[in-house]
Amino acid sequence: MLRKILTYGLAAGLISGLAMGVLTTVPHGHLPMAVEMALGYATMLVALSTIFLAVKRHRDTALGGVIRFWPALFLGLGISVVGGVIYALAWEVTQAVNHMDYVNDYAQAMISQEKAKGASDEALAALTAEMDKMRAKYANPFYRLSLTFNEIFPVGVLVSLVSAGLLRNSRFWPARRAPVLA
């Protein structure tokens, strides 16, 4: 089962990591932030569909078509952890290769947005101080890695729960029987 966790987790991490790298570099600034976020989470969902595939394959090949909820959930969570680690590492590589300064770009965008809304000088000063604290935290790679991991892991938990709930029923998408040739 560890091999399945590593294989499918690596696939999920690479799919989501590559998609994230493309989404943050190619259309950066050309799409509204809400569209970029929706595309990002949609690609995470597609990448983490490997959880469903892994649980179904494990159920059908190794367990004779039957799996209990908890083993299915743990398999999915293991894949989510591996995929999340690969995704977080892909973010670090994307930032390094593209010389991105994400936190400064984000801070400037937030401050500009508040200025455009007509925020008072006191509110802007408070927001600037808050953004400075965020820059200091984000400079720590462990903070950055955990923050990035926490973007994808909840999606993996959700997919794991749904997959375990559906696939524990052996009548849900049963394994196809090989046709008997006469």
Side-chain angles (χ1 to χ4, degrees), residues 28-178:
H28 191 63
H30 298 289
L31 294 173
M33 185 176 237
V35 173
E36 285 182 9
M37 287 179 62
L39 285 172
Y41 279 104
T43 58
M44 285 180 198
L45 199 55
V46 168
L48 290 168
S49 67
T50 58
I51 293 169
F52 183 86
L53 298 174
V55 172
K56 179 166 179 5
R57 184 176 176 109
H58 185 64
R59 177 192 79 174
D60 293 345
T61 59
L63 301 177
V66 178
I67 192 167
R68 297 178 68 86
F69 178 82
W70 292 108
L73 180 64
F74 291 139
L75 177 60
L77 292 176
I79 293 167
S80 299
V81 168
V82 173
V85 168
I86 301 298
Y87 177 79
L89 293 174
W91 173 248
E92 291 296 313
V93 169
T94 300
Q95 280 195 321
V97 168
N98 295 313
H99 306 291
M100 290 175 60
D101 194 3
Y102 170 77
V103 74
N104 281 327
D105 293 345
Y106 177 78
Q108 290 302 323
M110 293 297 290
I111 293 168
S112 297
Q113 186 179 25
E114 289 301 311
K115 278 183 185 176
K117 288 181 183 176
S120 67
D121 290 339
E122 296 83 29
L124 287 175
L127 180 61
T128 302
E130 184 181 332
M131 291 295 118
D132 288 341
K133 288 179 186 175
M134 189 174 112
R135 283 183 186 111
K137 286 183 192 176
Y138 205 77
N140 180 349
F142 295 111
Y143 177 81
R144 206 170 43 243
L145 285 168
S146 67
L147 197 65
T148 308
F149 177 83
N150 284 323
E151 286 177 15
I152 193 169
F153 186 69
V155 179
V157 170
L158 182 64
V159 172
S160 298
L161 285 167
V162 170
S163 297
L166 290 174
L167 292 171
R168 71 186 171 97
N169 182 352
S170 60
R171 290 173 295 181
F172 180 80
W173 206 351
R176 292 191 316 174
R177 304 281 186 239

